[in-house]
Amino acid sequence: MRLEETLRTLCAMPAVSGFEMQAAQAVAALFQPYCDTVETDRSGNVLAYRKCGKKHAKTVLLDAHLDQIGFVVTEVLEGGFLRFAPVGGVDPRMLLAGEVTVLADEPLYGVVACMPPHLLKAGEQDKAVPVDQMLIDTGLTDAKDRIRIGTPIVFAQKPVRLLGGQLCSKCLDDRAGVAAILLAVEKLKKVKKLGCNIAVLISTQEEVTGLGAQTGAFAVQPEYAIAVDVTHGKTPDGPADGVFELGSGVAVGMGPNLHRGLTKRLIKAAKANDIGYSLEVMEGNTGTNAWTMQTVACGIATALLSIPEKYMHTPVEVVKLSDVEATADLLAAFLREFDGEAEE
């Protein structure tokens, strides 16, 4: 698997929360060569399985979310203008003059309209415009015939390779996690004997409800789960604490709600295989699917691995490819040796 090529493919798939089904089918096809069975469920989740063949073997579920932040059309106006609402955590400060793709039956170009500075009144330059006061300009005189209310919208930016092995793109949150899991199961393809079953959940609606992780984890009901997501990368203008250098490897979550035994086994695997990692100490709710999955059914012992990412929830998210590879390496190294027991 060529990691950058795979990430570009994944990031090109539109999957606003609640509109993931088409992307799910494409992702299912990517996992097909490495798993015994692959399916999509009614929530739009991708569920893939690899059985180890051992009787009464325990199951480890690997999760990354497929959905991305975006928008939905709320009104179509004369002159090709659209009113829209955000889906997920969208910062209105970075929207004006942004390019978007309206996912009508035929994808359409649009730009978030902005007032030229010459026409602004004194003091207006420093005020953020609320999303409900913004418009998308499609330039279409027949927009009412071509665009329906409820149509999803995504950022239009395409991936760009940066120096130092970095990739800049929309929706690397969490296509980077999807790619890490895909690379990990590829690495395990040649391993004939495993000590546990592996289930893969590429889940929906993480950005809005956590529905996909909840229903998917309930369907599998594994003994263990590992959520793979992104965490905040270090930048000169950002905080000094709680952020991670790009290139430092995978961030291993550690907190009161994360299973200590499973976390220790992951750290042990990282050390034994010389895989770069950092500890991400958390006070409670991780804000990820790890929080959602651990309360499913009678409870699932859950760990969290995160990939450092700059500019989260923007159209210009940045990750370093080596950190995605480190995450995949750690998953593969852990699963090669895991016997199904992770005591506290």
Side-chain angles (χ1 to χ4, degrees):
M1 163 180 157
R2 296 179 180 177
L3 179 56
E4 181 179 342
E5 182 179 323
T6 299
L7 274 171
R8 287 176 177 271
T9 298
L10 290 169
C11 289
M13 299 176 183
V16 176
S17 291
F19 299 90
E20 301 99 337
M21 185 57 78
Q22 184 175 355
Q25 293 169 349
V27 170
L30 295 177
F31 278 91
Q32 194 74 50
Y34 312 117
C35 299
D36 300 325
T37 61
V38 183
E39 62 189 53
T40 57
D41 68 12
R42 285 172 290 181
S43 296
N45 295 318
V46 177
L47 287 165
Y49 301 89
R50 179 175 171 188
K51 301 293 185 180
C52 68
K54 289 176 56 179
K55 194 173 183 179
H56 305 305
K58 294 183 179 179
T59 298
V60 178
L61 174 64
L62 309 179
D63 167 83
H65 69 87
L66 178 60
D67 63 315
Q68 66 194 91
I69 61 169
F71 316 93
V72 64
V73 175
T74 59
E75 188 178 2
V76 183
L77 306 176
E78 297 294 336
F81 290 94
L82 310 176
R83 294 201 184 278
F84 62 99
V87 179
V90 179
D91 185 347
R93 295 175 301 170
M94 53 84 180
L95 292 183
L96 294 177
E99 296 177 290
V100 297
T101 301
V102 182
L103 298 172
D105 294 336
E106 175 191 354
L108 303 170
Y109 176 84
V111 61
V112 182
C114 62
M115 187 76 71
H118 317 71
L119 303 180
L120 294 173
K121 297 178 182 178
E124 289 184 345
Q125 294 91 336
D126 300 326
K127 296 180 180 178
V129 180
V131 174
D132 61 6
Q133 295 180 22
M134 294 182 187
L135 295 169
I136 290 174
D137 187 357
T138 66
L140 298 172
T141 57
D142 58 349
K144 288 190 174 184
D145 296 327
R146 300 174 67 178
I147 302 171
R148 295 183 293 272
I149 292 173
T151 299
I153 304 166
V154 294
F155 294 117
Q157 281 78 357
K158 295 181 180 180
V160 177
R161 179 71 182 267
L162 304 178
L163 294 177
Q166 298 180 96
L167 187 69
C168 174
S169 178
K170 66 180 185 297
C171 68
L172 284 165
D173 173 13
D174 186 29
R175 307 298 165 81
V178 176
I181 293 176
L182 181 61
L183 181 55
V185 296
E186 181 191 47
K187 290 175 180 290
L188 293 169
K189 179 67 174 178
K190 295 180 181 179
V191 179
K192 300 300 182 182
K193 292 185 179 181
L194 293 170
C196 62
N197 300 317
I198 300 172
V200 172
L201 170 61
I202 306 304
S203 53
T204 58
Q205 297 197 37
E206 190 270 352
E207 300 291 1
V208 290
T209 65
L211 172 68
Q214 188 174 42
T215 59
F218 187 85
V220 178
Q221 295 202 23
E223 285 77 15
Y224 302 98
I226 302 173
V228 183
D229 212 317
V230 294
T231 189
H232 296 289
K234 189 174 183 180
T235 58
D237 58 340
D241 297 326
V243 294
F244 300 87
E245 291 277 2
L246 267 66
S248 61
V250 55
V252 181
M254 181 173 286
N257 63 301
L258 298 172
H259 192 268
R260 292 183 62 82
L262 192 57
T263 301
K264 287 178 181 178
R265 290 291 298 266
L266 286 164
I267 293 171
K268 181 179 179 180
K271 290 179 177 178
N273 293 274
D274 197 26
I275 298 168
Y277 78 96
S278 303
L279 293 180
E280 184 173 14
V281 180
M282 300 171 170
E283 296 180 355
N285 189 341
T286 62
T288 69
N289 280 341
W291 181 263
T292 302
M293 292 189 296
Q294 64 191 323
T295 59
V296 167
C298 295
I300 299 171
T302 304
L304 174 64
L305 300 180
S306 298
I307 300 163
E309 178 190 75
K310 296 187 288 189
Y311 322 125
M312 192 183 300
H313 280 205
T314 74
V316 289
E317 296 171 348
V318 176
V319 300
K320 194 161 186 174
L321 297 177
S322 62
D323 293 331
V324 182
E325 291 173 346
T327 305
D329 288 342
L330 179 52
L331 288 170
F334 167 77
L335 290 166
R336 274 195 297 265
E337 303 296 330
F338 189 55
D339 56 3
E341 299 299 329
E343 298 299 328
E344 286 282 354

